[in-house]
């Protein structure tokens, strides 16, 4: 499958790992309608391509993403007044939706693991888009800010769901109430990022983490695991997880990957998993799916 080209981002694939780079360095990778559409299209591509088994997101230049593109001035967040593409691109099912939310929900639905390599300033949508990524690594040069209250708006991109689950309600409220910019070390201390690296070490560290996943695991198992962890973060009772887990074990236990996983372990050799994400991910969410009965 050919790698698509874009205007505001780049996509490079290195031995099973896709590197999505926000690429408006002269604008500090500010987020606009075109970037939103291209990032969503990029995830459509990575999900459909079985040769891609993990995705890393980073920024070009000295910023990760400086937030929304403010070139429209006072009308920046008034999509009704802008009209045209900005309005149409955010309207779905007759409802006007925020562009950051359209992106984070697409990342949430990803069938491949998503690693953020946060190389510089990340504010507004530049930080909220990260919340749907699975693991975030930061450069010592990175800075973060949930600046919405300082721009006269409210948090977006479904961050009111994601952020408290990552850092707790108290920290989420402090960061959003104050809108202050904080350093990578604070992000690490509060659990927003997994680790902090010198700038030259950031992308190699993200690639090493991606390789640990790509080289040792079954892609279909990763796709199921990702959705289990994310969806169950909002479950009302562990029985919901038990049902989904059980459906998954029931389905996967009969598939070629499970046989290969056991045989390769017993034969002390690297596994060669044959099942494909594009065709073989079982539906473990539908209540009508054939599975054991639960009370």
């Amino acid at each position: 499958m050919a790698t698509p080209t874009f205007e505001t981002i780049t996509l490079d694939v290195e031995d099973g790992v896709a590197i999505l780079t926000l690429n408006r360095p002269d604008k500090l990778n500010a987020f606009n309608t075109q970037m939103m559409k291209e990032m969503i299209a990029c995830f459509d591509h990575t999900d459909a391509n079985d040769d891609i088994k993990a995705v890393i997101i980073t920024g070009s230049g000295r910023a990760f993403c400086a937030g929304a593109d403010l070139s429209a001035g006072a009308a920046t967040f008034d999509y009704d007044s802008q009209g045209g593409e900005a309005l149409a691109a955010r309207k779905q099912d007759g409802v006007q939706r925020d562009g950051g939310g359209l992106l984070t929900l697409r990342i949430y639905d990803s069938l491949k693991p998503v690693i953020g390599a946060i190389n510089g300033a990340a504010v507004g949508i530049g930080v909220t888009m990260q919340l749907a990524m699975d693991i975030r690594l930061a450069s010592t040069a990175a800075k973060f800010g949930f600046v919405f209250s300082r721009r006269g708006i409210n948090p977006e991109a479904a961050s009111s769901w994601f952020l408290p689950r990552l850092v707790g309600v108290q920290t989420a409220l402090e960061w959003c109430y104050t809108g202050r910019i904080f350093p990578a070390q604070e992000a690490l201390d509060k659990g927003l990022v997994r680790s902090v690296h010198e700038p030259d070490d950031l992308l190699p560290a993200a690639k090493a983490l991606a390789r640990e996943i790509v080289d040792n695991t079954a892609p279909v198992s990763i796709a199921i695991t990702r959705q289990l962890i994310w969806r169950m973060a909002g479950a009302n009772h562990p029985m919901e997880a038990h049902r989904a887990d059980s459906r998954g074990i029931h389905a996967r236990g009969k598939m070629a990957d499970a046989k290969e996983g056991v045989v390769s372990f017993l034969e002390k050799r690297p596994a060669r998993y044959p099942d494909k994400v594009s065709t073989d991910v079982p539906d473990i969410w539908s209540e009508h799916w054939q599975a054991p009965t639960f009370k």
Side-chain angles (χ1 to χ4, degrees):
M1 183 179 293
T3 301
T5 58
F6 302 99
E7 295 179 13
T8 65
I9 64 175
T10 63
L11 181 65
D12 300 291
V13 180
E14 301 178 3
D15 194 18
V17 178
I19 302 174
L20 189 169
T21 304
L22 310 184
N23 193 36
R24 301 182 74 207
D26 56 323
K27 302 291 186 182
L28 299 180
N29 302 321
F31 187 81
N32 61 11
T33 299
Q34 185 69 18
M35 182 178 285
M36 177 197 76
K37 293 167 63 177
E38 291 185 350
M39 291 186 74
I40 290 172
C42 187
F43 277 95
D44 291 343
H45 173 78
T46 57
D47 271 0
N49 190 337
D50 287 316
D51 292 332
I52 294 174
K53 297 179 173 63
V55 181
I56 295 172
I57 303 180
T58 194
S60 61
R62 60 191 180 91
F64 176 74
C65 173
D69 188 329
L70 303 180
S71 59
T76 294
F77 302 109
D78 185 356
Y79 302 119
D80 287 344
S81 69
Q82 292 181 38
E85 183 187 16
L87 187 64
R90 292 167 171 78
K91 194 167 187 176
Q92 293 193 7
D93 302 321
V95 177
Q96 197 63 38
R97 296 168 56 186
D98 81 88
L102 293 174
L103 173 60
T104 57
L105 291 175
R106 181 62 189 88
I107 297 174
Y108 174 90
D109 285 335
S110 174
L111 297 173
K112 313 294 171 71
V114 184
I115 299 169
I118 314 307
N119 57 296
V123 301
I125 180 59
V127 65
T128 55
M129 75 166 67
Q130 299 174 34
L131 304 181
M133 301 177 195
D134 302 315
I135 305 169
R136 291 157 298 281
L137 289 68
S139 162
T140 53
K143 296 180 180 180
F144 304 82
F146 295 85
V147 298
F148 307 101
S149 61
R150 298 193 180 202
R151 302 293 180 268
I153 56 173
N154 54 270
E156 40 65 89
S159 55
S160 57
W161 189 91
F162 287 106
L163 185 59
R165 285 168 169 78
L166 293 173
V167 302
V169 171
Q170 179 171 256
T171 296
L173 286 173
E174 178 188 341
W175 284 347
C176 292
Y177 281 166
T178 64
R180 64 182 174 83
I181 305 298
F182 55 92
Q185 185 60 49
E186 182 172 343
L188 176 65
D189 293 342
K190 299 296 186 179
L192 181 61
V193 301
R194 168 257 203 188
S195 53
V196 175
H197 306 264
E198 291 300 321
D200 290 343
D201 298 331
L202 176 65
L203 199 53
K207 290 180 179 179
L209 178 57
R211 289 251 63 85
E212 181 72 17
I213 299 168
V214 169
D215 293 343
N216 298 292
T217 63
V220 172
S221 295
I222 294 298
I224 295 173
T225 299
R226 186 179 196 277
Q227 286 302 298
L228 282 171
I229 296 296
W230 274 115
R231 293 192 189 201
M232 291 305 107
N236 292 320
H237 191 281
M239 178 59 80
E240 295 183 42
H242 180 44
R243 289 187 177 117
D245 295 347
S246 297
R247 293 182 187 120
I249 292 294
H250 185 194
R252 291 292 282 153
K254 298 182 287 186
M255 296 175 71
D257 276 356
K259 297 176 175 62
E260 170 63 8
V262 172
V263 171
S264 63
F265 174 77
L266 294 175
E267 294 179 351
K268 296 181 171 56
R269 60 170 174 80
R272 297 181 292 274
Y273 296 108
D275 295 333
K276 297 182 181 300
V277 170
S278 61
T279 56
D280 299 321
V281 176
D283 176 11
I284 65 171
W285 305 107
S286 300
E287 288 293 339
H288 65 267
W289 195 84
Q290 294 296 317
T293 300
F294 296 90
K295 294 182 179 180

